[in-house]
Amino acid sequence: MKSSQLASSTVKIECWSFIELSLEGPIDGNPFMDVHLQAKFQHKQRVIDVDGFYDGNGVYKIRFMPDTEGEWTYSVSSNIAVLNGSAGGFVCSAASVGNHGPVHVGDTDRFAYADGTTYRPYGTTCYVWTHQEEALQEQTLQSLSHSPFNKIRMCVFPKRYSFNTNEPEHFPFVGSKTDGFDWTRFNPLYFARLEQRIGELQRLGIEADLILFHPYDNGQWGFDRMDAETDEFYLRYVIARLSAFRNIWWSLANEFDFMKEKKLDDWDRFFRIVQESDPYQHLRSIHNGTKMYDPTHLTIYDHTKPWVTHASMQYWELSPTTAWRKLYRKPIVVDECCYEGNLPQRWGNITGEDMTARMWDGFMRGGYVGHGETFLHPDEIVWWSKGGQLYGDSPARIAFLRQIFDASPEGITPIETFRDAPTLGIEGAYYLQYFGVHRPAYRELPLPEESCFQIEVIDTWNMTITALTGVYSGLTRVNMPATPYIALRAYRVERVGN
Amino acid sequence: MKSSQLASSTVKIECWSFIELSLEGPIDGNPFMDVHLQAKFQHKQRVIDVDGFYDGNGVYKIRFMPDTEGEWTYSVSSNIAVLNGSAGGFVCSAASVGNHGPVHVGDTDRFAYADGTTYRPYGTTCYVWTHQEEALQEQTLQSLSHSPFNKIRMCVFPKRYSFNTNEPEHFPFVGSKTDGFDWTRFNPLYFARLEQRIGELQRLGIEADLILFHPYDNGQWGFDRMDAETDEFYLRYVIARLSAFRNIWWSLANEFDFMKEKKLDDWDRFFRIVQESDPYQHLRSIHNGTKMYDPTHLTIYDHTKPWVTHASMQYWELSPTTAWRKLYRKPIVVDECCYEGNLPQRWGNITGEDMTARMWDGFMRGGYVGHGETFLHPDEIVWWSKGGQLYGDSPARIAFLRQIFDASPEGITPIETFRDAPTLGIEGAYYLQYFGVHRPAYRELPLPEESCFQIEVIDTWNMTITALTGVYSGLTRVNMPATPYIALRAYRVERVGN
């Protein structure tokens, strides 16, 4: 009665990639609703329960991402006899170079890959790039491959919004806008194509910050106003299909507060569904629209709730990052702080200088800030929505920012004794200080007396690093170019000679 | 027994200038402490009590600023017989051109001169310009005369601070740093020189926002730690001498929260002393240092207290101006939001673009923002402290800002239906919208259908006004230069021709 195509223990699966069990079962009735399928994956005494999903044409799949090297076994169970009882095993081998596993929260407000490597999100946003025609999707991947970005915000559902009125070809549910949707049947073709793109992002080292709900529907298709049962049906299917991708993050919503059909309780419920369904506990967040932060209320959704792994913010100013870090004690990701571009909308028309400076501002305060690009385009191909090409001045500078942070020692953290300019570092060893729009003609750096430091003046806009000759100790006056967007870097060196 | 030099009713005094009664009296003992002198000034049934003051060398003075045209009489009383019983009168004549009287709060969060003319403060700061050598003071006045500024923040007491370590020649009290001060005797020479400068500012149309206490002493001279009795003695003397100047504003303190010797109660007490002593009820405010505004507390000093006429803020961001207007229902003056310059200190090294943009930002939200300039100077003559010359790029742009506001119709007010860009205007008649660092390629202006509008694109940095050809009604797309610091102005015009 077994129909597993993968039952040999000689199968080898790289750690944090996934094994996919494919089984044949009933095609009649509504398998999405009627068939339940799970597997237990076991390594030594540890057992992990994983849900399967129906992939159409009588094919049922179970995906599993092992996180530990060695021998694993599994057994499948189902309410359908033909699917029940499969068993087998595989060997989990060492992760290959560049595979660090999924990203989790490391130390309080820091991210880390599963293998312990520091992860800092240099994110961008292309909300519905996977809903565009093939050639454009390929171009987006091409652009990403030459970019500094290692996270992308993207939506499961299609989007109807300014500069985005083209009807997509495929939908998560069976149906179309004209014919309506069958809320009891998913479209495996849609998901297969989405998975292809998530896999390609993974190969580029890019985390897919997948947006599960969003308000840019307004009843156009109805994905923003499904009933509670359908919402849960949808979430469980998505998680069963996608959670084995190590580069998946769950963004419960974009601008959740604009979704008038949902209440705050709904978001709690969704978080709990995701939390209880995802065997890997991928990162979970929720992203606000307006009114998230003002003197009278901090956030509409309370990011201190236990199922929120990190704060995903929209806010235009980065100086509150420090306060948010202390309030939430979780990583702070300001995914939207305005985009480089020239759209009429306020959120989409800042300069490359400003985009770059906002990212530096947030990073220097111990948070993370996302990029977006919104230039008018004759064919309405705007990066933030559809992907395509990058035209802005900021991506090159974000690559430079990433280079600076990649070169920083492990464990740098905000040093708040420097009150007038955000400073990261390790006391006595390393200091990185950023001046943003401020342009001092000189600065006095209070370096420790007992060590020698190399000092560099970094122009974050012109992407230059100018080392001062000699080494320095104690209070050191550094002449500065008196232009905006300058950083100072000082790091301990061994004194050479006398 | 009378010794009044002005007792003839043929004396004519321009409205809102002042009459000065000068009387001779005792020179022995301590006249500052021992002699009390007041006058009642009367116009019809209205009587105003005014305190006199000792001006040294046996001379006692009473100054009075009439606010109503017509015949006034006065009578002097004193605890000293020789000063008691003088009486006389004068005629108050119409104010001359350019004399609009003192500034008061007009409609809620607006200022107006006594004659009803709108007053908008385009302020600057030269804290201790009157404590510098004569030639430098003359240069400061020369610079001011060519500037757009119509308010200046300046201190009674000298200042000891970075770039400001020269010892002044004269002090409000008799004495010196080396010999100590006699806290019971004022120095009339100091005040005569101060008054000369206040008079010269008045002739330039500049309000003197006089700072009565400040923390930049730190016990150097001790003016920041006088006892309660001396504080009051000082306040009453200053008010008796200076309140007849129509261009006086009382700033209780600069960065009051840095004055460790004073408690919050002291500031309430000082406000009440000023309020009960000043016959003209000049504007009263208090200016904060740090921590005035963050998510957890609005202001340390509560500007809703009845003796505070307007909020005098230090804050680096102008977007809260709208919230402050609604909270305090008083004029909001952000006297310090960082200064154009290149000092090492964070508050003193923003660009001219940024200084100008911050001023526009605050003005466009219905508030007022002050200028300051802080460039390194070989002789440490920094405008913000000592005056001298202006080197920055912002004053010319502030003149342009003033020109735009001077040309605006009476009664413009923030129109909050434009949520994405601060907009001032009169619905249906006039709209002024500012984009700051945002640089849209076009904007859609929802003009009323029933009227015709002239539209102008204003480059607030390059100081150009470009009128669109034709007139417009209804939703109008305006092509924009897609550069920062642009404003749009639309005003109703009569349709000419068809």
Side-chain angles (χ1 to χ4, degrees):
Chain A
M1 302 289 283
K2 296 177 192 173
S3 61
S4 168
Q5 271 89 64
L6 281 167
S8 158
S9 69
T10 62
V11 171
K12 279 204 173 178
I13 297 294
E14 178 181 336
C15 193
W16 301 309
S17 69
F18 65 80
I19 183 171
E20 182 177 279
L21 310 184
S22 191
L23 303 98
E24 279 173 24
I27 198 162
D28 53 332
N30 183 346
F32 295 104
M33 302 285 281
D34 305 338
V35 178
H36 301 287
L37 181 73
Q38 310 84 32
K40 287 186 186 298
F41 287 85
Q42 183 158 2
H43 172 69
K44 296 182 177 167
Q45 298 310 308
R46 181 166 158 238
V47 178
I48 300 169
D49 290 308
V50 176
D51 288 329
F53 62 91
Y54 181 56
D55 198 31
N57 298 318
V59 177
Y60 295 80
K61 288 181 174 168
I62 301 170
R63 291 171 177 162
F64 176 68
M65 174 181 74
D67 61 2
T68 309
E69 289 173 51
E71 294 205 1
W72 289 77
T73 58
Y74 64 82
S75 60
V76 176
S77 60
S78 174
N79 61 334
I80 304 296
V82 70
L83 295 169
N84 198 41
S86 303
F90 64 92
V91 172
C92 176
S93 58
S96 57
V97 173
N99 171 3
H100 301 288
V103 176
H104 288 301
V105 175
D107 183 15
T108 312
D109 52 12
R110 298 277 160 250
F111 294 108
Y113 288 104
D115 73 354
T117 305
T118 291
Y119 171 82
R120 294 188 183 88
Y122 303 89
T124 189
T125 290
C126 305
Y127 285 126
V128 286
W129 74 279
T130 61
H131 293 262
Q132 309 306 313
E133 59 181 26
E134 286 295 311
L136 184 54
Q137 292 188 43
E138 293 297 333
Q139 191 184 46
T140 305
L141 285 167
Q142 191 66 20
S143 299
L144 287 168
S145 73
H146 297 113
S147 83
F149 304 120
N150 63 2
K151 179 171 92 69
I152 188 167
R153 284 180 67 74
M154 51 189 279
C155 300
V156 177
F157 291 124
K159 175 180 162 188
R160 175 66 51 131
Y161 199 78
S162 309
F163 313 107
N164 198 113
T165 53
N166 51 324
E167 192 69 9
E169 201 177 343
H170 304 286
F171 296 91
F173 287 89
V174 169
S176 70
K177 191 170 70 169
T178 25
D179 303 333
F181 292 96
D182 181 346
W183 301 110
T184 67
R185 289 176 190 270
F186 297 102
N187 177 1
L189 179 56
Y190 167 85
F191 282 98
R193 294 161 65 97
L194 176 63
E195 285 156 11
Q196 179 196 332
R197 298 313 183 190
I198 292 171
E200 283 159 343
L201 291 173
Q202 187 181 100
R203 282 186 283 283
L204 294 174
I206 298 173
E207 303 295 303
D209 195 2
L210 196 68
I211 296 166
L212 297 169
F213 293 97
H214 68 68
Y216 323 114
D217 181 318
N218 269 315
Q220 175 83 10
W221 303 285
F223 301 126
D224 61 340
R225 57 200 63 191
M226 305 185 300
D227 61 23
E229 202 178 340
T230 309
D231 285 337
E232 178 165 351
F233 182 54
Y234 157 74
L235 286 173
R236 291 191 186 277
Y237 188 76
V238 168
I239 291 164
R241 285 202 73 123
L242 302 181
S243 60
F245 286 87
R246 67 172 173 269
N247 61 326
I248 276 285
W249 298 23
W250 307 120
S251 178
L252 271 285
N254 209 56
E255 299 189 321
F256 75 90
D257 43 324
F258 295 167
M259 294 191 70
K260 298 306 174 202
E261 310 288 326
K262 304 298 180 205
K263 306 283 167 248
L264 273 182
D265 284 353
D266 291 321
W267 300 113
D268 288 351
R269 188 165 54 86
F270 296 162
F271 263 114
R272 284 193 300 259
I273 291 168
V274 175
Q275 189 181 29
E276 76 179 38
S277 307
D278 175 3
Y280 317 103
Q281 297 294 297
H282 287 289
L283 292 164
R284 291 177 298 268
S285 69
I286 185 165
H287 186 76
N288 63 285
T290 51
K291 292 188 183 162
M292 65 77 68
Y293 177 78
D294 76 21
T296 59
H297 57 260
L298 274 173
T299 53
I300 293 177
Y301 195 88
D302 177 3
H303 296 305
T304 63
K305 288 182 176 176
W307 41 73
V308 179
T309 57
H310 64 285
S312 169
M313 305 288 218
Q314 178 174 172
Y315 200 62
W316 61 92
E317 230 232 312
L318 281 306
S319 60
T321 302
T322 307
W324 292 328
R325 282 178 45 241
K326 292 177 182 180
L327 179 65
Y328 297 125
R329 301 181 174 277
K330 297 179 182 180
I332 305 299
V333 186
V334 182
D335 282 302
E336 180 175 345
C337 71
C338 291
Y339 302 133
E340 180 181 2
N342 63 2
L343 294 193
Q345 290 89 343
R346 181 173 177 81
W347 44 260
N349 56 28
I350 62 170
T351 62
E353 286 90 336
D354 203 351
M355 178 89 257
T356 306
R358 290 179 197 215
M359 292 190 65
W360 269 90
D361 259 339
F363 272 79
M364 290 300 300
R365 289 176 165 89
Y368 309 98
V369 184
H371 159 272
E373 187 178 295
T374 45
F375 283 101
L376 285 180
H377 185 281
D379 302 321
E380 296 204 334
I381 301 172
V382 185
W383 174 264
W384 127 95
S385 191
K386 299 181 181 174
Q389 275 185 264
L390 284 160
Y391 300 93
D393 297 320
S394 64
R397 277 77 185 187
I398 296 163
F400 184 76
L401 164 71
R402 185 172 172 175
Q403 172 194 325
I404 298 292
F405 275 84
D406 284 353
S408 69
E410 280 294 315
I412 58 168
T413 189
I415 303 179
E416 294 192 28
T417 47
F418 295 92
R419 292 174 57 145
D420 64 344
T423 307
L424 284 168
I426 295 167
E427 276 291 11
Y430 181 91
Y431 303 91
L432 180 65
Q433 188 166 63
Y434 177 65
F435 300 96
V437 299
H438 297 275
R439 48 155 193 188
Y442 68 90
R443 283 285 291 187
E444 287 179 335
L445 273 187
L447 297 171
E449 296 284 354
E450 64 279 12
S451 306
C452 294
F453 286 81
Q454 171 74 60
I455 299 176
E456 291 161 328
V457 177
I458 299 175
D459 184 327
T460 68
W461 180 248
N462 293 305
M463 299 179 282
T464 59
I465 302 174
T466 309
L468 272 59
T469 47
V471 295
Y472 302 86
S473 301
L475 191 65
T476 302
R477 178 174 162 139
V478 182
N479 287 325
M480 304 270 285
T483 49
Y485 313 130
I486 303 300
L488 281 182
R489 182 164 67 179
Y491 51 94
R492 192 172 56 207
V493 291
E494 296 304 312
R495 193 192 290 272
V496 180
N498 66 331
Chain B
M1 302 292 282
K2 298 176 189 173
S3 61
S4 169
Q5 270 90 66
L6 280 167
S8 159
S9 68
T10 62
V11 171
K12 279 201 172 182
I13 296 295
E14 179 181 335
C15 193
W16 302 309
S17 69
F18 65 80
I19 183 171
E20 181 175 280
L21 311 183
S22 192
L23 304 96
E24 280 176 21
I27 199 163
D28 53 332
N30 183 348
F32 294 105
M33 301 286 281
D34 305 337
V35 179
H36 301 287
L37 181 73
Q38 311 83 32
K40 287 185 185 296
F41 287 84
Q42 183 158 5
H43 171 69
K44 296 182 177 168
Q45 297 311 308
R46 182 165 158 240
V47 178
I48 300 169
D49 290 309
V50 175
D51 288 330
F53 62 92
Y54 181 58
D55 198 32
N57 297 320
V59 177
Y60 295 80
K61 287 180 174 171
I62 301 170
R63 291 169 177 164
F64 177 66
M65 173 181 73
D67 61 1
T68 309
E69 288 174 48
E71 295 204 359
W72 288 78
T73 58
Y74 63 82
S75 61
V76 176
S77 61
S78 174
N79 62 333
I80 304 296
V82 71
L83 295 169
N84 198 43
S86 303
F90 64 91
V91 171
C92 175
S93 59
S96 56
V97 174
N99 171 3
H100 301 288
V103 176
H104 288 302
V105 174
D107 182 16
T108 312
D109 53 12
R110 298 276 159 252
F111 293 109
Y113 288 105
D115 73 355
T117 306
T118 291
Y119 171 82
R120 294 189 183 88
Y122 303 90
T124 190
T125 291
C126 305
Y127 285 125
V128 286
W129 74 280
T130 61
H131 293 262
Q132 309 308 312
E133 60 181 27
E134 286 295 310
L136 185 53
Q137 293 188 43
E138 293 296 335
Q139 190 185 46
T140 304
L141 286 167
Q142 191 66 19
S143 299
L144 286 169
S145 73
H146 297 114
S147 84
F149 304 120
N150 64 2
K151 179 171 89 71
I152 189 168
R153 284 181 68 73
M154 51 190 278
C155 300
V156 177
F157 291 122
K159 177 182 161 186
R160 175 65 52 132
Y161 200 77
S162 310
F163 312 107
N164 197 113
T165 51
N166 51 324
E167 191 71 8
E169 200 177 342
H170 305 285
F171 296 91
F173 287 89
V174 169
S176 69
K177 192 171 70 169
T178 24
D179 302 335
F181 292 98
D182 180 347
W183 300 110
T184 67
R185 290 176 190 270
F186 297 102
N187 177 2
L189 179 58
Y190 167 86
F191 282 98
R193 296 161 64 98
L194 176 63
E195 285 156 10
Q196 178 196 333
R197 298 314 184 191
I198 291 171
E200 284 159 342
L201 291 173
Q202 186 182 101
R203 283 186 282 284
L204 293 174
I206 298 173
E207 304 294 305
D209 195 2
L210 196 69
I211 296 166
L212 297 169
F213 293 97
H214 69 69
Y216 323 114
D217 182 317
N218 269 314
Q220 177 83 9
W221 304 286
F223 302 126
D224 60 340
R225 55 201 64 189
M226 304 186 300
D227 63 24
E229 201 179 342
T230 309
D231 285 337
E232 178 165 353
F233 182 56
Y234 157 74
L235 285 173
R236 292 190 186 277
Y237 189 77
V238 168
I239 291 164
R241 286 202 72 121
L242 302 180
S243 61
F245 286 87
R246 66 173 174 269
N247 61 326
I248 276 286
W249 298 24
W250 307 120
S251 179
L252 271 286
N254 210 56
E255 299 188 320
F256 73 91
D257 42 323
F258 295 168
M259 294 191 70
K260 299 304 174 204
E261 310 288 327
K262 304 298 180 203
K263 306 284 167 247
L264 272 183
D265 284 353
D266 292 319
W267 300 112
D268 288 352
R269 187 166 54 86
F270 296 162
F271 264 116
R272 285 192 301 260
I273 292 168
V274 176
Q275 189 180 30
E276 75 179 38
S277 307
D278 175 2
Y280 317 105
Q281 296 295 298
H282 287 289
L283 292 165
R284 291 177 297 267
S285 69
I286 186 164
H287 185 76
N288 63 283
T290 51
K291 293 189 185 160
M292 65 79 68
Y293 178 78
D294 76 21
T296 58
H297 58 263
L298 275 172
T299 53
I300 293 176
Y301 195 87
D302 178 3
H303 296 306
T304 63
K305 288 183 176 176
W307 41 72
V308 180
T309 57
H310 63 283
S312 169
M313 306 288 217
Q314 178 174 174
Y315 199 63
W316 61 91
E317 229 232 314
L318 281 306
S319 60
T321 303
T322 306
W324 292 329
R325 282 179 46 241
K326 293 177 182 179
L327 179 65
Y328 298 125
R329 302 182 173 276
K330 296 177 182 181
I332 305 299
V333 186
V334 182
D335 281 302
E336 180 175 345
C337 69
C338 291
Y339 302 133
E340 181 180 0
N342 64 1
L343 294 194
Q345 290 90 342
R346 181 174 176 82
W347 45 260
N349 55 28
I350 63 170
T351 62
E353 286 90 337
D354 203 351
M355 178 88 258
T356 306
R358 291 180 196 213
M359 291 191 65
W360 269 90
D361 259 339
F363 272 78
M364 290 300 300
R365 290 177 164 89
Y368 309 99
V369 183
H371 159 273
E373 189 179 292
T374 44
F375 284 100
L376 285 180
H377 185 281
D379 302 321
E380 297 205 333
I381 301 173
V382 185
W383 175 264
W384 127 95
S385 192
K386 298 179 181 174
Q389 275 186 266
L390 284 160
Y391 300 93
D393 297 321
S394 65
R397 278 74 185 188
I398 296 164
F400 184 76
L401 163 72
R402 184 171 173 176
Q403 173 194 324
I404 299 292
F405 275 84
D406 284 353
S408 68
E410 280 294 314
I412 58 168
T413 188
I415 302 179
E416 295 192 29
T417 48
F418 294 92
R419 292 174 56 145
D420 65 343
T423 307
L424 285 168
I426 296 168
E427 276 292 10
Y430 181 92
Y431 303 92
L432 180 64
Q433 189 166 63
Y434 177 64
F435 300 96
V437 298
H438 297 277
R439 49 155 192 188
Y442 68 90
R443 282 287 290 188
E444 287 180 333
L445 273 187
L447 297 171
E449 294 285 352
E450 63 280 9
S451 306
C452 293
F453 285 82
Q454 172 74 61
I455 299 176
E456 291 161 330
V457 176
I458 299 174
D459 186 326
T460 67
W461 179 249
N462 293 306
M463 299 179 283
T464 59
I465 302 174
T466 309
L468 272 58
T469 47
V471 295
Y472 302 86
S473 300
L475 190 66
T476 302
R477 177 174 162 139
V478 182
N479 287 325
M480 304 269 285
T483 49
Y485 313 130
I486 303 299
L488 281 182
R489 182 164 66 177
Y491 51 94
R492 193 170 55 207
V493 291
E494 297 303 313
R495 194 191 289 273
V496 180
N498 67 330

